[in-house]
Amino acid sequence: MSTRRLEITVQEFKAQTINQLAELAKKTNTINRLKLELVEKSAKIFALEAREKADNDQLGPTEDEVPVKINSLREPERIKTVDQQLFLRGVVTSERI
């Protein structure tokens, strides 16, 4: 009878080991899937950072040009205002305005 109990115990241990191995395989698959997702997301982040840097590099000179362009657009109006003031003072004629 003790041999039979020993056989049953061995079968139970085998079944328990098989269940543990199945759980380990599931967890390993989950870990591998998460690692793959991490690599994909890291690649996307790297690509977005590179794109942002390129956009900033392209935008930088444009931002520097804005004040110059604004001033060049305001220049004719400033000249007109100066001419009007000079006209009112009688320094220039109406032809220049």
Side-chain angles (χ1 to χ4, degrees):
M1 195 63 162
S2 74
T3 306
R4 180 67 187 136
R5 270 189 286 200
L6 186 58
E7 288 174 349
I8 292 172
T9 304
V10 169
Q11 286 177 348
E12 288 173 354
F13 281 140
K14 283 183 180 180
Q16 187 180 11
T17 303
I18 290 171
N19 288 336
Q20 289 173 343
L21 288 173
E23 283 297 315
L24 185 60
K26 286 179 186 178
K27 290 178 181 181
T28 301
N29 285 339
T30 302
I31 289 170
N32 289 335
R33 181 181 48 80
L34 291 172
K35 283 181 181 179
L36 180 62
E37 287 178 16
L38 178 62
V39 168
E40 290 172 350
K41 288 180 181 181
S42 295
K44 286 180 182 179
I45 288 171
F46 181 76
L48 288 172
E49 287 173 346
R51 181 177 171 188
E52 179 185 25
K53 184 181 181 318
D55 289 347
N56 286 339
D57 290 346
Q58 183 179 4
L59 184 61
T62 305
E63 286 180 335
D64 295 339
E65 293 171 4
V66 169
V68 173
K69 289 186 178 183
I70 288 174
N71 287 335
S72 69
L73 291 172
R74 289 183 179 159
E75 187 66 19
E77 186 175 317
R78 188 188 66 78
I79 291 171
K80 183 178 179 183
T81 303
V82 169
D83 285 346
Q84 286 174 346
Q85 290 173 354
L86 291 174
F87 175 73
L88 291 175
R89 291 183 190 155
V91 177
V92 296
T93 63
S94 64
E95 297 168 356
R96 186 169 172 183
I97 300 175

